[in-house]
Amino acid sequence: RFLVTALGGVLGGLALPRRGFAQATGVVTINDRLALVTAGGTNVVALSTPEGLVIVDSGTPELAGQLIGSLKPLSGLGVTTLFNTHWHAENTGANEVLGMSGATIVAHENTRLWMSTPTWMPAEDRYRAPRPRKAQPNKTFRVDGSMNAGGERIDYGYLIEAHTSGDIYVFLRDTN
């Protein structure tokens, strides 16, 4: 019991700095078209195009408003395309707000299934309700795909056996 209690204290102590960081939101300009937005401990990549922003992930639910506020100076046109790299809430937090504003939400089909189905969460001893329809991906794929946005070729594809069963990569071919 002593070792379990001690280990719990150490792990809890390690989590404290992360909780403090989780509230930080900032924007780092990478080049004239690309920015990194840190929102709640989650990195959100934003590509500025003449049509609007293309972003990768959408941060945590509790910081969705801060993320949207951080994105406004990057483009007055808003977000046109959002890629969800997987279904966890810390990466899909602003999906509903962005979906209601008309953004196309691109993800692997498994991510859509995880987000649209009630799921038993054993670690939390509860069911997780499906996400609202507007928060769910509205453009899915199974293997890979590509698109062009503002002259940028964007390739994306499935990462089998990664963090979740719906993980994807997003490759900004010209900007990278």
Side-chain angles (χ1 to χ4, degrees):
R1 286 186 185 177
F2 172 75
L3 289 176
V4 169
T5 303
L7 182 59
V10 168
L11 292 176
L14 291 175
L16 288 176
R18 185 168 184 210
R19 282 189 204 119
F21 175 73
Q23 300 306 313
T25 302
V27 178
V28 176
T29 302
I30 297 171
N31 63 32
D32 62 331
R33 293 172 31 111
L34 196 62
L36 174 66
V37 181
T38 55
T42 302
N43 292 325
V44 175
V45 175
L47 174 70
S48 296
T49 73
E51 298 84 32
L53 291 174
V54 175
I55 65 171
V56 179
D57 286 332
S58 68
T60 61
E62 63 274 7
L63 296 176
Q66 288 181 5
L67 173 69
I68 302 299
S70 296
L71 294 173
K72 283 188 183 200
L74 302 176
S75 172
L77 301 174
V79 175
T80 58
T81 306
L82 161 62
F83 285 93
N84 287 154
T85 59
H86 66 286
W87 61 271
H88 287 153
E90 62 268 17
N91 296 85
T92 61
N95 274 29
E96 187 172 5
V97 173
L98 296 171
M100 289 188 331
S101 69
T104 300
I105 304 173
V106 182
H108 190 270
E109 177 63 14
N110 287 347
T111 294
R112 187 195 64 75
L113 291 171
W114 277 107
M115 292 177 72
S116 65
T117 306
T119 307
W120 176 252
M121 306 300 285
E124 300 171 14
D125 194 29
R126 69 173 181 91
Y127 275 96
R128 181 188 47 78
R131 298 286 296 278
R133 190 143 188 82
K134 284 291 186 181
Q136 298 173 21
N138 51 33
K139 179 180 179 184
T140 63
F141 64 95
R142 292 205 175 269
V143 178
D144 60 16
S146 67
M147 63 177 279
N148 286 301
E152 177 82 29
R153 178 167 170 187
I154 303 171
D155 295 330
Y156 50 92
Y158 182 49
L159 292 170
I160 193 165
E161 295 186 27
H163 177 61
T164 72
S165 64
D167 279 25
I168 68 169
Y169 67 86
V170 179
F171 180 42
L172 305 172
R173 203 165 264 297
D174 302 320
T175 301
N176 273 0

